[in-house]
Amino acid sequence: MATKMSVAFKKKLDAARKVSKVAATRAKEETFGSDFEDGRYQARAVSGVIEESQSSSRLQARVQFEIASGEYKGQLKYDFWGLEDEDQQVWAFRKITQLGYEADDLDSLMEALADLEQSQPLCLIDLRTKGDFQNVNIRKLLDEDDLEEEEEEEEEEDEEEEEEEEEDEEEEEEEEEDDEEEETDEDEDEEGEEEEEEDEEEDEDQDEEEEEEDDEEVELTTGMRVLLSQKGKKDSPATVRKIEKDGRVTIGIDAHTAMNKEGKVKPMTVDTTELSLLEEEEAPKAKSKAPVKKSPAPAKKKTATKATKKKVVKRK
């Protein structure tokens, strides 16, 4: 269903429709805002032509500049010079003079503009935004050497940036190598500590094994030579006489260390914990289940039986 329009609205719509094509053309032709950052650039004037503006039908010169260096190198910027009245033409003649041409009238101006495509003069321009438009102001003509210097400066800047990037990469690599070396050192230290701990554990295990070997209990037999060790008394060598049923042992202490009034060897019944083994060549007469510790013999005395003292500990 069509919407009913008021007469006033229809008139406005018709008026807008009449200027719509011109507006669309201007949007394509004119540059609103800025395609480039405001600033100073090296550029070449590469073409120029006198034309009628499609948007306003104004007589104007359209000059095309190509940025010659920097970030926007190779990009195009247009400048429009009005020619319809005397004041506009004053600006046009000033600008063509700044590009190195002499023009006395409109014809000579047209010839200069046509020659731009061949000569392509290098110049320094300023881009300045005013309102919705960015104006092109020609500062001066440049020599090709100036462009080479600019390019050399850009190359030097690029080289410096590359060198800085390489230095940064080298520093990062060195830092990574240092980190790897530190990690390697830490790993080696940890490995060394682990090896030391393993060695200590091995030593401890070896000591324990030796202690286990030394702590071995032996079976007590009659006739076995033993050493009696009692608190507050000197160690006395003795001979096992009898294994008692309660696990205690009756021994005969050597005569030179303990005799009774009749001069006979004094027998004693003691606990096996008070005895340690004396190693000598006398063979055992009978085995007993009662364990006794091996023990070193006392220091050699003139009256004592020759014997070897051996360390004795309990079996683990």
Side-chain angles (χ1 to χ4, degrees):
M1 182 178 179
T3 303
K4 187 176 181 180
M5 294 184 291
S6 65
V7 175
F9 180 79
K10 187 176 181 181
K11 287 181 179 179
K12 289 181 180 180
L13 189 60
D14 290 340
R17 189 175 286 117
K18 289 179 182 179
V19 298
S20 62
K21 291 184 178 180
V22 176
T25 302
R26 286 185 61 187
K28 295 177 182 178
E29 180 184 280
E30 297 178 2
T31 303
F32 291 89
S34 174
D35 293 334
F36 302 91
E37 291 184 7
D38 284 358
R40 187 161 295 180
Y41 297 88
Q42 289 183 333
R44 294 183 185 277
V46 295
S47 68
V49 63
I50 292 179
E51 64 181 9
E52 185 179 43
S53 171
Q54 294 181 4
S55 59
S56 62
S57 299
R58 183 185 76 159
L59 185 67
Q60 64 184 14
R62 176 167 56 86
V63 181
Q64 187 178 48
F65 291 89
E66 181 180 336
I67 306 299
S69 62
E71 180 181 357
Y72 301 106
K73 183 178 179 179
Q75 296 189 37
L76 300 176
K77 180 66 180 176
Y78 290 95
D79 191 22
F80 298 94
W81 308 345
L83 300 173
E84 287 195 334
D85 57 44
E86 183 178 341
D87 290 336
Q88 291 179 358
Q89 288 188 21
V90 169
W91 286 104
F93 282 114
R94 285 179 180 175
K95 288 194 173 184
I96 201 66
T97 301
Q98 289 174 323
L99 291 177
Y101 290 91
E102 292 183 3
D104 299 328
D105 54 28
L106 187 60
D107 291 332
S108 58
L109 176 62
M110 293 173 63
E111 291 176 0
L113 290 172
D115 188 65
L116 289 177
E117 190 172 354
Q118 295 295 327
S119 63
Q120 295 191 358
L122 180 67
C123 59
L124 190 66
I125 63 173
D126 284 342
L127 300 182
R128 293 287 180 269
T129 300
K130 185 176 181 181
D132 292 331
F133 300 95
Q134 188 177 52
N135 298 318
V136 178
N137 297 322
I138 302 170
R139 302 289 299 178
K140 63 178 180 177
L141 286 173
L142 296 175
D143 295 330
E144 293 298 326
D145 293 340
D146 296 329
L147 179 60
E148 291 176 0
E149 289 176 2
E150 179 74 16
E151 290 176 348
E152 287 175 0
E153 289 177 0
E154 291 177 0
E155 289 176 359
E156 290 176 359
E157 290 177 358
D158 292 339
E159 289 176 359
E160 289 177 359
E161 289 179 0
E162 289 177 0
E163 290 176 359
E164 289 177 358
E165 289 177 359
E166 289 176 358
E167 289 176 359
D168 293 338
E169 289 176 358
E170 289 176 359
E171 289 178 0
E172 289 177 359
E173 289 176 358
E174 290 176 359
E175 289 177 358
E176 289 176 358
E177 289 176 0
D178 292 340
D179 292 340
E180 289 177 359
E181 288 177 1
E182 289 178 1
E183 290 177 0
T184 303
D185 293 339
E186 290 176 359
D187 292 339
E188 289 177 355
D189 292 340
E190 290 177 359
E191 288 176 1
E193 291 176 359
E194 289 176 358
E195 289 176 359
E196 290 178 2
E197 290 177 358
E198 289 176 358
D199 292 339
E200 290 177 359
E201 290 176 358
E202 288 177 1
D203 292 340
E204 290 176 359
D205 293 340
Q206 188 174 354
D207 292 341
E208 289 177 359
E209 288 175 1
E210 291 176 356
E211 288 180 0
E212 287 178 359
E213 290 176 359
D214 292 340
D215 288 354
E216 194 174 331
E217 291 184 353
V218 296
E219 292 184 354
L220 198 61
T221 60
T222 57
M224 184 177 289
R225 294 289 292 161
V226 293
L227 185 69
L228 175 64
S229 300
Q230 293 181 315
K231 188 175 181 180
K233 297 181 181 180
K234 291 183 179 181
D235 293 350
S236 303
T239 303
V240 176
R241 297 291 181 87
K242 184 180 179 182
I243 308 301
E244 305 294 342
K245 292 181 179 181
D246 60 359
R248 291 164 63 82
V249 180
T250 299
I251 60 173
I253 300 176
D254 288 1
H256 65 275
T257 58
M259 284 189 179
N260 57 18
K261 294 180 180 181
E262 290 78 16
K264 295 181 181 181
V265 176
K266 181 181 179 181
M268 292 181 63
T269 300
V270 296
D271 191 270
T272 56
T273 57
E274 298 177 309
L275 300 177
S276 56
L277 182 64
L278 275 177
E279 292 184 353
E280 58 182 1
E281 296 180 357
E282 184 178 352
K285 295 180 180 179
K287 288 185 177 181
S288 169
K289 293 183 179 180
V292 67
K293 296 186 292 183
K294 294 180 182 179
S295 176
K300 183 178 178 180
K301 297 181 181 179
K302 291 181 181 180
T303 57
T305 303
K306 186 175 181 181
T308 303
K309 186 175 181 181
K310 185 176 181 180
K311 182 181 179 182
V312 177
V313 293
K314 292 182 180 179
R315 185 186 299 275
K316 300 282 185 179

